[in-house]
Amino acid sequence: ARARVFDRKELRRAVAQGAKAKYGSEAERWYHLGLKQAQAGDAAGAKRTWERVARGFADVPAEARWVGLAAEALADLGRHPP
C-alpha cells in the first residue's frame, strides 16, 4: 500500500511539473520533447522529433533559434551515437 501511495505522489509531482512548463512556441515545445527523449535514452525518437522541428519550422523566421538547436542536436547525435 505504501508503494502505491508513493507512486501516486510521484505521478502527481510529475504531472504538476509538466503543467508548469511554459513554452514560447510550438517549435520550442517540440525541441524540448526531443531533448527529453534523448535524456531518456530514446535516441531514435529524439532524432525523429528534431528532424520534424528542423523541417517543419525551417521557413518560420521566428523559430530560427529552435530550428538551429534541433539541427545542432541532430549533428551531435550523428557524431556521438548512443
Side-chain angles (χ1 to χ4, degrees):
R2 277 188 177 174
R4 278 189 280 169
V5 169
F6 178 76
D7 290 343
R8 286 186 190 141
K9 285 182 181 178
E10 284 299 302
L11 175 62
R12 284 190 205 114
R13 185 187 62 74
V15 169
Q17 293 268 318
K20 291 178 185 175
K22 302 290 184 206
Y23 301 110
S25 70
E26 282 297 296
E28 181 181 2
R29 185 175 72 82
W30 284 100
Y31 170 80
H32 283 283
L33 174 61
L35 192 59
K36 288 177 187 176
Q37 290 169 318
Q39 290 169 339
D42 183 8
K47 181 180 180 195
R48 283 190 307 272
T49 299
W50 287 328
E51 285 172 342
R52 290 174 181 152
V53 171
R55 280 194 316 264
F57 295 95
D59 295 331
V60 183
E63 304 297 0
R65 175 180 181 204
W66 303 109
V67 169
L69 286 170
E72 288 178 31
L74 286 166
D76 283 347
L77 276 180
R79 284 191 298 271
H80 307 288

